[in-house]
Amino acid sequence: MPHIWGVRTTWRTVGDGEFFCPGCGGGRSYLRRIGRHRFALLGIPLLPRGTAETVVECAACRTCFRTDVLGHPTTTRFSAMLRDAVHTVALAVLAVLAVLAAGNEGIDGSGTALTIELHEVLDPLAPHLAPAGSEDIRLQGARIALADGPYTPSEHQTLAAVGRALLLRHEDTERLLAIAARTPS
């Protein structure tokens, strides 16, 4: 026997876009939907009974998620962020090497700009990286710095800034630098 009365939620789409769907495990299209609970009689929604939480519905699997899922980058965006991070770290270490090769002792004047640039690129990525990913980016920078011999104070300072931007503890940064220095190229 069908339900004669109850509460039914009606949904309205208020936006769309692309997101990383935790259900599907990839970049998908979504619909942002708001709902209203309504008292229903014979399946027909009649009287308003309040609002439902805004949800994000995956267009592929139709699973609904809280809107905080939109804070995670899509697979394509994550790949671009990772590429930019690796390039920025490599360029930061190479910039220090170029300054040293030009006969300057360190990066005093450009160090602040370099640190700001590292944070601009690495800060949005860091919360989405697994610890091994953060360490790998750091180790790549360390290997570049070691290409011309032991770390200089400026290279060490730059690599420490990379570690901070990647949310690594100081002890972990020092451990990674030591590992890279002991590993033959």
Side-chain angles (χ1 to χ4, degrees):
M1 184 153 101
H3 293 283
I4 295 177
W5 62 273
V7 176
R8 184 171 171 192
T9 304
T10 56
W11 295 96
R12 183 169 55 104
T13 300
V14 293
D16 60 7
E18 288 187 22
F19 79 128
F20 179 83
C21 177
C24 296
R28 303 286 186 258
S29 296
Y30 73 84
L31 298 174
R32 182 186 292 250
R33 307 193 73 200
I34 57 172
R36 292 195 53 87
H37 300 300
R38 296 183 182 272
F39 176 75
L41 184 60
L42 299 173
I44 300 169
L46 300 172
L47 302 172
R49 298 287 298 162
T51 59
E53 181 179 3
T54 301
V55 297
V56 173
E57 180 183 316
C58 176
C61 70
R62 297 287 186 214
T63 304
C64 292
F65 302 96
R66 295 174 49 148
T67 56
D68 61 351
V69 76
L70 297 177
H72 302 285
T74 64
T75 305
T76 303
R77 178 71 185 127
F78 183 76
S79 296
M81 291 167 67
L82 191 55
R83 181 196 66 236
D84 290 346
V86 170
H87 288 166
T88 300
V89 169
L91 289 174
V93 174
L94 290 172
V96 171
L97 291 172
V99 168
L100 294 171
N104 292 328
E105 292 295 318
I107 57 168
D108 298 331
S110 61
T112 303
L114 196 61
T115 300
I116 291 170
E117 185 174 350
L118 285 169
H119 279 281
E120 284 177 353
V121 173
L122 298 177
D123 285 354
L125 176 66
H128 305 290
L129 280 175
S134 295
E135 290 181 0
D136 190 53
I137 291 172
R138 179 58 192 282
L139 283 171
Q140 289 178 27
R143 288 184 191 111
I144 293 168
L146 290 167
D148 66 339
Y151 302 115
T152 65
S154 294
E155 290 169 335
H156 193 275
Q157 178 185 358
T158 300
L159 292 169
V162 170
R164 286 189 302 276
L166 289 172
L167 306 176
L168 293 173
R169 295 179 329 178
H170 177 72
E171 299 80 26
D172 293 334
T173 295
E174 294 302 319
R175 178 183 54 82
L176 290 171
L177 288 175
I179 289 170
R182 287 192 309 265
T183 306
S185 310

